[in-house]
Amino acid sequence: MGGARDVGWVAAGLVLGAGACYCIYRLTRGQPRRSGGRRLRPSRSAEDLTSDSCDDVLNAEQLQKLLYLLESTEDPVIMERALVTLGNNAAFSANQAVIRELGGIPIVGDKINNPNHSIKEKALNALNNLSVNVENQIKIKIYIKQICEDVFSGPLNSAVQLAGLRVLTNMTVTNDHQHMLKSYITDLFQVLLTGNGNTKVQVLKLLLNLSENPAMTEGLLRAQVDSSFLSLYDGHVAKEILLRVLTLFQNINNCLRMEGQLATQPLFSKGSLFFLLYGEECAQKMRALVYHHDVDVKEKALTIIPKF
């Protein structure tokens, strides 16, 4: 028992400085380094880990200590910092596999049920980085339902909602798990229409993933969507949103063509996305966008016009 406790306290030292390092890490992630890559060091003492640069990548032994700490601690501060450190390290492909092999995904996944919203957010951020690995997705998919519930029942535009949407976006990059979101499509459109700019962009990234899969086309077109959706096709809408809603329409058209069929009205009820996209009001908006000042928007609109 004394040995296990010692391991826990050593790991606690590992994460004491993680919170301060997190913002620096996010700012520097993805930037080129003169040294030719990040350093993967052998096991070090807790003192070294807390005083050295958080730009280093932890090795398997250190990650194992960290996972033990995360699983055993009840201290919310330690738990949150451990999740931040794991999330940072899960950004690297080698560690994505190591964390899975150490049994870390269920340990992290368990924390999304924590009532502390900050801990829940950090757990979702860690799962988001882990979900880049396709093998990890097989284990992460069991959390999709819970993540959806948090996204659609939690506070609008919250950090938890955005973190959950990012995980779902990663999980739908391939077609393998998209079917698990079929019953939430109407909810996605609701968040799209009520969320702020950042939330809108994140929801659209997810919807674009779904719209590229012909197997999801009917579910998208059947979704009950408020008529205010068409306001997203107004010329004054921010380009990052306008281009994405145009691409959504374009993808749906492409999937219908690939299936060798045109969308037919009797299959869809009034109030559905089908009635909005293929109605006269939307056609008028597409014709107006042909004269949009932005070339990219204009080209997208021109590809859609013939469908009317």
Side-chain angles (χ1 to χ4, degrees):
M1 290 295 293
R5 188 179 297 117
D6 290 342
V7 170
W9 284 113
V10 169
L14 184 154
V15 297
L16 287 177
C21 295
Y22 180 62
C23 292
I24 299 172
Y25 170 81
R26 295 298 293 176
L27 289 171
T28 59
R29 178 182 167 193
Q31 295 180 359
R33 295 185 50 95
R34 293 194 183 104
S35 61
R38 302 187 184 274
R39 302 183 298 279
L40 180 59
R41 294 189 174 184
S43 181
R44 298 167 292 176
S45 69
E47 184 178 351
D48 288 339
L49 289 170
T50 55
S51 63
D52 200 359
S53 169
C54 64
D55 203 30
D56 297 332
V57 183
L58 302 185
N59 61 32
E61 180 185 354
Q62 293 160 347
L63 288 170
Q64 187 172 35
K65 292 176 182 178
L66 194 59
L67 288 167
Y68 169 82
L69 174 66
L70 181 59
E71 188 173 30
S72 60
T73 186
E74 297 294 331
D75 186 327
V77 175
I78 297 296
M79 193 180 300
E80 185 174 339
R81 290 178 178 175
L83 284 166
V84 169
T85 303
L86 276 170
N88 289 349
N89 277 268
F92 306 108
S93 56
N95 276 348
Q96 290 162 7
V98 170
I99 292 171
R100 180 187 70 247
E101 291 163 0
L102 290 172
I105 291 177
I107 296 174
V108 175
D110 180 63
K111 303 309 176 187
I112 69 172
N113 295 311
N114 195 291
N116 183 314
H117 283 192
S118 185
I119 290 174
K120 185 189 292 282
E121 177 208 350
K122 302 308 187 296
L124 288 167
N125 288 338
L127 283 181
N128 180 53
N129 285 343
L130 288 166
S131 67
V132 174
N133 182 294
V134 176
E135 289 184 62
N136 287 355
Q137 289 190 3
I138 297 172
K139 292 184 177 294
I140 294 173
K141 69 179 181 180
I142 66 173
Y143 304 108
I144 286 180
K145 183 176 180 180
Q146 180 61 51
I147 293 171
C148 285
E149 295 298 325
D150 289 337
V151 165
F152 301 125
S153 65
L156 185 66
N157 304 320
S158 66
V160 169
Q161 185 177 68
L162 284 170
L165 285 169
R166 284 191 288 268
V167 177
L168 295 176
T169 301
N170 272 354
M171 292 295 291
T172 54
V173 168
T174 67
N175 297 348
D176 295 342
H177 311 300
Q178 291 184 0
H179 65 281
M180 299 180 72
L181 274 72
K182 274 189 174 181
S183 60
Y184 298 103
I185 292 175
T186 294
D187 296 309
L188 281 170
F189 278 103
Q190 178 64 23
V191 174
L192 171 65
L193 297 180
T194 55
N196 62 21
N198 289 335
T199 301
K200 279 179 165 58
V201 169
Q202 197 59 54
V203 172
L204 283 168
K205 288 179 180 179
L206 174 50
L207 286 172
L208 286 178
N209 286 347
L210 302 182
S211 70
E212 292 177 346
N213 181 3
M216 298 296 293
T217 304
E218 184 176 336
L220 287 167
L221 290 175
R222 284 186 181 279
Q224 294 295 297
V225 182
D226 190 85
S227 60
S228 61
F229 171 78
L230 291 179
S231 67
L232 296 178
Y233 289 112
D234 290 342
H236 61 78
V237 171
K239 180 179 177 179
E240 62 178 351
I241 294 174
L242 183 53
L243 278 178
R244 285 185 169 93
V245 291
L246 285 169
T247 304
L248 177 69
F249 197 171
Q250 184 181 33
N251 287 349
I252 289 173
N253 281 330
N254 290 342
C255 285
L256 290 171
R257 186 172 65 251
M258 282 175 13
E259 292 291 295
Q261 61 181 11
L262 296 175
T264 54
Q265 182 172 329
L267 294 175
F268 305 100
S269 62
K270 288 185 178 179
S272 66
L273 181 64
F274 169 83
F275 268 82
L276 294 179
L277 291 181
Y278 296 98
E280 180 55 31
E281 183 179 354
C282 189
Q284 291 176 2
K285 289 180 180 291
M286 292 303 111
R287 287 191 284 267
L289 289 176
V290 170
Y291 302 99
H292 197 274
H293 61 85
D294 186 272
V295 175
D296 295 331
V297 171
K298 184 184 300 186
E299 289 179 352
K300 285 282 186 184
L302 284 169
T303 64
I304 295 171
I305 284 288
K307 303 302 182 295
F308 292 98

